[in-house]
Amino acid sequence: MFKRKMLFSLFGALIIHIAYVLIQLLIGIIQTFFYQPQFAPNDVVLQSEVVFGFIMQGTPLILLGSYVIVAVVLFTILNTKEALKRKVRGHDRN
């Protein structure tokens, strides 16, 4: 049971981090498509290549640390949920 909860928490943390990166990229793509500079008239041809993304300041250990923290939080939630289930089942029998 411990291994199963640990695997679920690691997989959940991975999904959350992948979703965060994909949402950041999606926001960048949407902003790129709808961007119109306010300073240039409509007849001026502007640069056609745009680079977007986000910068994570600090060391890569911050990303690893956030992954571990999210996994621990998910593991704690799974353990708490299981303990509450057992407690409720125990009270129902009395």
Side-chain angles (χ1 to χ4, degrees):
M1 194 59 91
F2 176 79
K3 289 181 184 178
R4 183 177 175 192
K5 287 181 195 172
M6 184 57 75
L7 285 175
F8 276 138
S9 63
L10 291 173
F11 184 70
L14 181 66
I15 295 297
I16 289 171
H17 279 78
I18 289 172
Y20 173 74
V21 170
L22 291 178
I23 288 170
Q24 291 295 323
L25 289 174
L26 183 65
I27 289 170
I29 289 170
I30 291 170
Q31 288 176 345
T32 300
F33 282 133
F34 294 111
Y35 177 74
Q36 291 182 346
Q38 300 298 322
F39 59 86
N42 290 335
D43 59 348
V44 175
V45 178
L46 298 174
Q47 178 180 347
S48 62
E49 295 179 13
V50 178
V51 178
F52 64 90
F54 62 96
I55 298 173
M56 190 146 190
Q57 295 182 356
T59 65
L61 292 176
I62 293 174
L63 184 60
L64 181 63
S66 71
Y67 177 77
V68 170
I69 289 170
V70 170
V72 168
V73 168
L74 290 175
F75 183 75
T76 305
I77 290 170
L78 289 173
N79 272 342
T80 305
K81 178 184 167 191
E82 186 68 30
L84 289 174
K85 260 189 195 178
R86 275 187 261 133
K87 189 175 183 180
V88 168
R89 278 191 229 140
H91 286 296
D92 289 344
R93 291 181 188 163
N94 292 333

